[in-house]
Short mmCIF file of all heavy atoms in Angstrom, two decimals:
data_model
loop_
_atom_site.label_atom_id
_atom_site.label_comp_id
_atom_site.label_asym_id
_atom_site.label_seq_id
_atom_site.Cartn_x
_atom_site.Cartn_y
_atom_site.Cartn_z
N ASP A 126 -79.34 28.59 -18.55
CA ASP A 126 -79.96 27.99 -17.35
C ASP A 126 -78.88 27.51 -16.33
O ASP A 126 -79.17 27.58 -15.12
CB ASP A 126 -80.76 26.83 -17.79
CG ASP A 126 -82.07 27.15 -18.70
OD1 ASP A 126 -82.42 28.29 -18.45
OD2 ASP A 126 -82.53 26.22 -19.34
N GLY A 238 -93.73 35.03 -27.49
CA GLY A 238 -93.11 34.25 -26.43
C GLY A 238 -92.86 32.82 -26.94
O GLY A 238 -92.19 31.98 -26.26
N VAL A 239 -93.49 32.34 -27.99
CA VAL A 239 -93.24 30.97 -28.56
C VAL A 239 -92.03 31.06 -29.60
O VAL A 239 -92.19 31.92 -30.53
CB VAL A 239 -94.47 30.45 -29.24
CG1 VAL A 239 -94.15 29.02 -29.80
CG2 VAL A 239 -95.60 30.49 -28.12
N ALA A 240 -91.11 30.29 -29.39
CA ALA A 240 -90.02 30.19 -30.37
C ALA A 240 -89.85 28.85 -31.09
O ALA A 240 -89.99 27.83 -30.40
CB ALA A 240 -88.70 30.60 -29.57
N SER A 403 -79.05 29.70 -25.41
CA SER A 403 -79.95 28.69 -25.55
C SER A 403 -81.34 29.13 -25.67
O SER A 403 -81.85 30.24 -25.26
CB SER A 403 -80.04 27.69 -24.25
OG SER A 403 -80.22 28.57 -23.08
N MET A 404 -82.18 28.47 -26.56
CA MET A 404 -83.52 28.94 -26.81
C MET A 404 -84.52 28.65 -25.60
O MET A 404 -84.39 27.52 -24.98
CB MET A 404 -84.15 28.25 -28.12
CG MET A 404 -83.29 28.57 -29.39
SD MET A 404 -83.43 30.37 -29.69
CE MET A 404 -85.18 30.49 -30.25
N PRO A 405 -85.44 29.54 -25.39
CA PRO A 405 -86.35 29.30 -24.29
C PRO A 405 -87.32 28.18 -24.64
O PRO A 405 -87.56 27.91 -25.88
CB PRO A 405 -87.19 30.56 -24.14
CG PRO A 405 -87.04 31.33 -25.50
CD PRO A 405 -85.72 30.80 -26.01
N ALA A 406 -87.80 27.41 -23.71
CA ALA A 406 -88.85 26.43 -23.96
C ALA A 406 -90.14 26.99 -24.37
O ALA A 406 -90.53 28.20 -24.13
CB ALA A 406 -89.07 25.44 -22.72
N ASP A 407 -90.73 26.20 -25.33
CA ASP A 407 -92.13 26.71 -25.85
C ASP A 407 -93.19 26.76 -24.68
O ASP A 407 -93.00 25.82 -23.88
CB ASP A 407 -92.58 25.78 -26.94
CG ASP A 407 -91.71 25.98 -28.21
OD1 ASP A 407 -90.80 26.80 -28.23
OD2 ASP A 407 -91.83 25.16 -29.11
#
Side-chain angles (χ1 to χ4, degrees):
D126 292 338
V239 178
S403 54
M404 297 294 295
D407 292 353

